[in-house]
Amino acid sequence: MIAQLGPESAKPSGPVDRMNAMIDGIPPMHRMGLRIVALSEEHVIGAAPLAGNHNHIGTMYAGTQFGVAEVVGGALWLPNFDTDRVYPVVKDLQIRYIRPATSDIRAEASIGTATVQRMKREVVATGKSDFVIDSVLTDVAGVVVATAVGTYQIRSR
Amino acid sequence: MIAQLGPESAKPSGPVDRMNAMIDGIPPMHRMGLRIVALSEEHVIGAAPLAGNHNHIGTMYAGTQFGVAEVVGGALWLPNFDTDRVYPVVKDLQIRYIRPATSDIRAEASIGTATVQRMKREVVATGKSDFVIDSVLTDVAGVVVATAVGTYQIRSR
């Protein structure tokens, strides 16, 4: 029996699908092939493919690594906040390249529940709240290729 | 009379053309529309279009701003070094977003002759040399939208 896939079943529902739909709405992120592969209230994993993202020495372009580092930090907003009420922006990001990335990469980041509680109080009181996220980028062998630290802000719509 | 455009006349010659040819060889940079518009031994100007680079709030994607900031720093290598003998990599880049970029943007950066002299000595002695470049990103009205500081390294091939 062939499954009947109507508009409802095609609609993104979970946080991973919702975040990937957001990525696909931002053309340069979509073109780099950035993906969120896991997303909970406390933890996120993103991915970037080497294919289509080579630089002048055949390794992964610095900007694609920036892209996956940046998006995992911002993504932690989604499962923690009412996305109809607040949206995230990045204020500052520093990325340190440690080894050339010669494969697909993953980026992982976490946020603590105390941080989210602080942010919820601040956004109610002032309409915005900053948060700082460290992310670690690894290749398919698990070797760290880069680390990043980003300062983000959620703002009331 | 129709100009005869043979392989020689189509070959990039000046530093701007050579750098843009290099950008066009790096797919994600090419797809963001990054351009070098001026490049001398001491100064560089790059550009990024808003078209095709919108983010979730309609302003320029943070990663495209990263891209133009990163490329201007690296580009200063080209007019100062024998590009057949040394190539640049980026080791670290921090970008601070100051205002939303709501138009095409430019990035400007400079390098001092004393820095280039130091680098030339170091690359002969050790095969590599680091350099730090500040860049300033402005919109079409000349308003600063972001600043960046990158640490790059040239390496012997």
Side-chain angles (χ1 to χ4, degrees), chain B residues 18 22 77-88 157:
Chain B
R18 290 176 63 203
M22 188 170 165
W77 139 89
L78 190 143
N80 285 301
F81 291 89
D82 181 343
T83 56
D84 290 333
R85 293 190 177 214
V86 297
Y87 65 95
R157 288 187 193 277

Side-chain angles (χ1 to χ4, degrees), chain B residues 38-56:
Chain B
L39 180 57
S40 69
E41 291 180 356
E42 296 186 14
H43 194 66
V44 57
I45 303 173
L50 181 60
N53 285 308
H54 290 84
N55 62 16
H56 57 300

Side-chain angles (χ1 to χ4, degrees), chain B residues 90-101:
Chain B
V90 60
K91 291 177 67 177
D92 182 304
L93 195 137
Q94 180 169 27
I95 182 163
R96 298 181 176 96
Y97 300 97
I98 296 165
R99 289 170 173 270

Side-chain angles (χ1 to χ4, degrees), chain B residues 68-154:
Chain B
V68 70
E70 191 273 332
V71 76
V72 292
L76 288 165
W77 139 89
L78 190 143
N80 285 301
F81 291 89
D82 181 343
T83 56
D84 290 333
R85 293 190 177 214
V86 297
Y87 65 95
V89 296
V90 60
K91 291 177 67 177
D92 182 304
L93 195 137
Q94 180 169 27
I95 182 163
R96 298 181 176 96
Y97 300 97
I98 296 165
R99 289 170 173 270
T102 59
S103 73
D104 296 350
I105 63 169
R106 286 192 164 206
E108 293 201 44
S110 298
I111 193 168
T113 52
T115 301
V116 174
Q117 286 173 21
R118 168 184 63 78
M119 292 167 68
K120 287 183 176 180
R121 283 195 305 272
E122 288 178 356
V123 79
V124 167
T126 69
K128 61 188 180 181
S129 179
D130 286 3
F131 60 113
V132 177
I133 300 291
D134 279 288
S135 57
V136 177
L137 282 61
T138 51
D139 65 14
V140 290
V143 174
V144 175
V145 295
T147 62
V149 56
T151 303
Y152 301 81
Q153 185 176 77
I154 53 164

Side-chain angles (χ1 to χ4, degrees), chain B residues 23-34:
Chain B
I23 288 172
D24 288 339
I26 300 174
M29 299 181 81
H30 174 69
R31 292 189 302 254
M32 288 192 285
L34 304 183

